[in-house]
Amino acid sequence: MTHFRAATILLSTVLACASASAATLSFESLSSGNLGSSSASLAEALISGTGTVLYTNEYFLGQGGSVCSAFTTSSSTSCTGDLEISFTTAVNQLSLQAIGFDEGDSVTISAYAGSSLLGSQQVDTADGVVDFSAFSGVTKLVFDDQSTGSGLAYGKFSFTQLTSPVPEPATGLLMLLGVAALGQFARRRQAT
């Protein structure tokens, strides 16, 4: 039973040092419509596109909004530019929703951990949910748009963001207590 207690204390200490928090990408802090730039910075990610501008709209208003890489003319806007989202820290449990406009809209979305490709998904249906939750440590999404219609926008990004492994003061105290308990168990074992 003593080994079980020691293992439990050690496991609690290790788990207390690493944590994660649920997060979303919210574009609602950006102005709606043409952002006048092909890149934008959020607290959780840097977004850049090959279109002339990034374009945000009110799809999923109250749920983070949506974004696309757009080509604009004086008479129209099409969300057919490629897009890249680089997360500030690695994420897990990633999912998003693609919002389609016309027949012929299609995009390949690839998830990367650093420069290593984790996997890709083809999206060619309106309002398709893209689930990358099977991959951990995602640092970047690349959207390769092959649309022949008006293109796709993306919203409802949700993920678990890995937090910094720097322990909080309470975690340090817990770790010291765990080490002291292990020492006490070892001392008791030697005495018997």
Side-chain angles (χ1 to χ4, degrees):
M1 189 63 149
T2 303
H3 293 330
F4 178 73
R5 284 185 194 159
T8 302
I9 291 170
L10 183 60
L11 181 61
S12 297
T13 303
V14 169
L15 291 176
C17 290
S19 62
S21 60
T24 61
L25 285 184
S26 177
F27 307 101
E28 292 177 355
S29 63
L30 304 172
S31 59
S32 184
N34 182 337
L35 297 182
S37 171
S38 61
S39 65
S41 182
L42 300 172
E44 301 84 4
L46 174 66
I47 299 123
S48 58
T50 61
T52 52
V53 295
L54 288 180
Y55 192 87
T56 61
N57 57 39
E58 294 160 357
Y59 286 100
F60 307 124
L61 193 60
Q63 300 172 38
S66 62
V67 67
C68 75
S69 177
F71 291 98
T72 60
T73 65
S74 59
S75 61
S76 69
T77 298
S78 66
C79 290
T80 55
D82 294 343
L83 190 67
E84 182 174 302
I85 297 177
S86 298
F87 295 97
T88 54
T89 61
V91 301
N92 295 332
Q93 301 297 318
L94 175 64
S95 67
L96 63 110
Q97 189 160 352
I99 305 115
F101 296 99
D102 295 326
E103 290 296 320
D105 289 337
S106 178
V107 66
T108 302
I109 305 174
S110 301
Y112 290 84
S115 61
S116 299
L117 176 65
L118 297 173
S120 298
Q121 290 190 27
Q122 184 71 30
V123 179
D124 53 11
T125 59
D127 301 324
V129 173
V130 181
D131 185 7
F132 285 112
S133 63
F135 303 117
S136 60
V138 176
T139 57
K140 176 174 63 174
L141 289 176
V142 175
F143 300 76
D144 181 17
D145 199 313
Q146 306 98 27
S147 295
T148 57
S150 295
L152 298 163
Y154 315 97
K156 282 187 147 178
F157 287 83
S158 67
F159 49 88
T160 302
Q161 193 167 31
L162 301 177
T163 58
S164 173
V166 176
E168 299 290 329
T171 304
L173 178 62
L174 181 60
M175 187 183 306
L176 284 174
L177 289 173
V179 170
L182 286 174
Q184 181 66 20
F185 289 130
R187 179 184 241 169
R188 243 191 230 170
R189 185 172 183 198
Q190 286 178 353
T192 56

